[in-house]
Amino acid sequence: MAIDLQQIGKRFRFYTNLKELDMDQLKAMTGSDEATLANIISGKNYLLDDLVAIVKNFKELNPQWLIYGEGSMFKPMNGDGTCDDHHKGCLKKDKSAYLQQMKDMLIELDAAEVAKGHHPDVEALKAKLDQYRATH
């Protein structure tokens, strides 16, 4: 499976917008410089080593989703139902504008995935239907 830097950038931007992290917060959290972070977010050329060094600072972010668009954005919950949530909190933005921004970004991500010919959810549902038919 090929790695698409632009898709990674879109997914990382989606995650950081969801968490309401600005550039100064990202720099402080990751120890990375603004140019590297800006390149990742915009999907420009960057080293995967830089991405890995940054991603390890986000304990709840699923790297499989970030890199390949597979699975959930967040890692599964711990056995006790908890997860690393020290960045969760109340929305600082106007809720309706924030939700519209997230919806627009989801549409953009979905359109990019469809354009690449990816239909993971549809294919997974088809496989489950086939499995169900085979057993019943």
Side-chain angles (χ1 to χ4, degrees), residues 2-136:
I3 294 176
D4 184 334
L5 297 180
Q6 289 183 332
Q7 285 298 97
I8 293 170
K10 287 177 184 179
R11 286 189 285 270
F12 188 65
R13 186 178 70 215
F14 183 82
Y15 174 79
T16 58
N17 282 341
L18 181 69
K19 297 305 242 170
E20 298 182 309
L21 299 171
D22 62 26
M23 186 60 74
D24 289 333
Q25 290 170 312
L26 288 172
K27 289 188 314 188
M29 288 174 66
T30 64
S32 297
D33 60 83
E34 188 168 341
T36 300
L37 289 163
N39 281 346
I40 291 172
I41 289 170
S42 65
K44 294 182 180 175
N45 269 347
Y46 56 87
L47 299 174
L48 287 180
D49 289 344
D50 291 336
L51 178 67
V52 169
I54 289 168
V55 170
K56 72 180 181 184
N57 294 288
F58 301 98
K59 303 295 184 208
E60 68 183 13
L61 178 60
N62 179 356
Q64 188 74 14
W65 173 82
L66 179 66
I67 296 170
Y68 300 109
E70 298 174 351
S72 171
M73 177 189 318
F74 299 102
K75 289 179 182 174
M77 297 275 212
N78 296 329
D80 61 0
T82 62
C83 65
D84 177 16
D85 63 353
H86 70 279
H87 294 298
K88 292 182 181 176
C90 297
L91 290 177
K92 295 175 275 190
K93 303 176 183 175
D94 169 53
K95 187 175 183 178
S96 107
Y98 177 76
L99 292 173
Q100 183 60 47
Q101 179 187 16
M102 292 292 96
K103 181 180 174 185
D104 293 345
M105 291 183 77
L106 275 174
I107 291 169
E108 180 184 343
L109 275 172
D110 188 52
E113 289 297 315
V114 168
K116 288 174 45 181
H118 289 179
H119 302 285
D121 294 333
V122 173
E123 296 304 319
L125 287 173
K126 285 180 183 177
K128 285 182 181 181
L129 282 173
D130 290 341
Q131 183 182 20
Y132 179 78
R133 285 183 190 141
T135 59
H136 289 79

